[in-house]
Amino acid sequence: MTTTHVKRAFKYRFYPTDEQAAELSRTFGCVRKVYNLALAARTQAWARQERVNYNTTSAMLTAWKKTEELAFLNDVSSVPLQQCLRHLQTAFTHFFAKRAKYPRFKSKKKSRKSAEYTTSGFRFRDGKLTLAKMSEPLDIVWSRPLPEGAKPSTVTVSQDSAGRWSVSMLCEDPSVKPLAATDTAVGIDVGLDHLLTLSTGEKITNPRHERRDRARLALAQRRLAKKQKGSANRARARRKVAKIHARIADRRRDGLHKLTTRLVRENQTLVIEDLTVRNMVKNRSLARAISDAAWADFRSFLEYKAVWYGREVIAVDRFFPSSKLCSACGTLQEKMPLHVRTWTCDCGTTHDRDVNAAKNLLAVGLTVTACGAGVRPQRSTPGGQSATKQETPRREP
């Protein structure tokens, strides 16, 4: 029996020299330019009902480099330029498969600054990484070691809006192996008062990372608004705002990683609700709180870690009336106002709204597992009400 190792990205901060920063900035600009040129060419060919693929755009890139107007493309490594054409091909593949929208042009100010290098575009020896067109290795802060004997297959260099430089190395990680199977299962109900409520009765507090830095963020944004557009002071003020946002995002991501890792390690089966977060954030009263809770990121982390460690994640249809169904006798309540957090069923059982929902999610999830894939609970939308996630409609201060 052959074992396949999981490919895992290891991300580190690094501090480039002035020459390296200038070279990478040129590379980012050329990558963006080539991507936009190729997208424009494919869009025009689409209007003419012509087919253009990666090979065609690669030939276009060769021709562009020979022109006087785009001769500057020869000054940077060709590897990131070819990789951005592959990324564009992947974007069109997802579009044709109806998994994504039509690819959009990259903006100089709003788009992510990044460049991807394959093995022909970098050298990794003795723990030092040197990129093409550079004479010195990057000054990387090795916050954690790479897997023993790991050799990166791709390296992605990026700079975020806060000005921080990062390098992500994709390696095979032999340490990620399926965990020993257990008979434990848990239902998970997400919320705002509590980030998670488990079917075991445990409630995990919502840390509300954005609220903790809201005053500082508001002050930085007010100062930014007063700066003259295009000035150096405005650029510095913008970076201060970006650093606060980055701090919030880092804390949120760290907390979710620790939480999802714990849940995956402790349970064999995890049952969640299939929520459409993109529709839920249209509620102006709750959009900020829902975005700060990061339910979509929680589900994403939970799913890929379950694949890593041999666990199972089951998503129950969001129209399943988990809050209105008695987990003890199965009676369905006709109405369940949003302000009701505890209620008593006709059978005499008193329920905590969120714990009851988690128990119902677990029960229907185990039923799905027993009956086979494809089984979905019936929709129940009495009274014509929207059957999205029910939460206390409390306006954020």
Side-chain angles (χ1 to χ4, degrees), residues 189-192 273-296 299 318-319 338 386-393:
D189 181 68
V190 298
L192 297 180
E273 196 171 1
D274 186 17
L275 301 176
T276 52
V277 179
R278 68 177 66 182
N279 292 335
M280 298 171 66
V281 294
K282 295 178 181 178
N283 183 334
R284 298 180 61 184
S285 299
L286 297 174
R288 174 183 282 180
I290 292 174
S291 298
D292 190 29
W295 293 336
R299 176 173 177 175
R318 63 183 181 276
F319 292 101
L338 294 173
S386 174
T388 56
K389 176 70 180 174
Q390 296 186 13
E391 249 318 322
T392 306

Side-chain angles (χ1 to χ4, degrees), residues 136-151:
E136 298 179 0
L138 300 180
D139 182 14
I140 300 175
V141 179
W142 298 99
S143 53
R144 55 175 174 170
L146 286 174
E148 186 176 356
K151 295 182 179 180

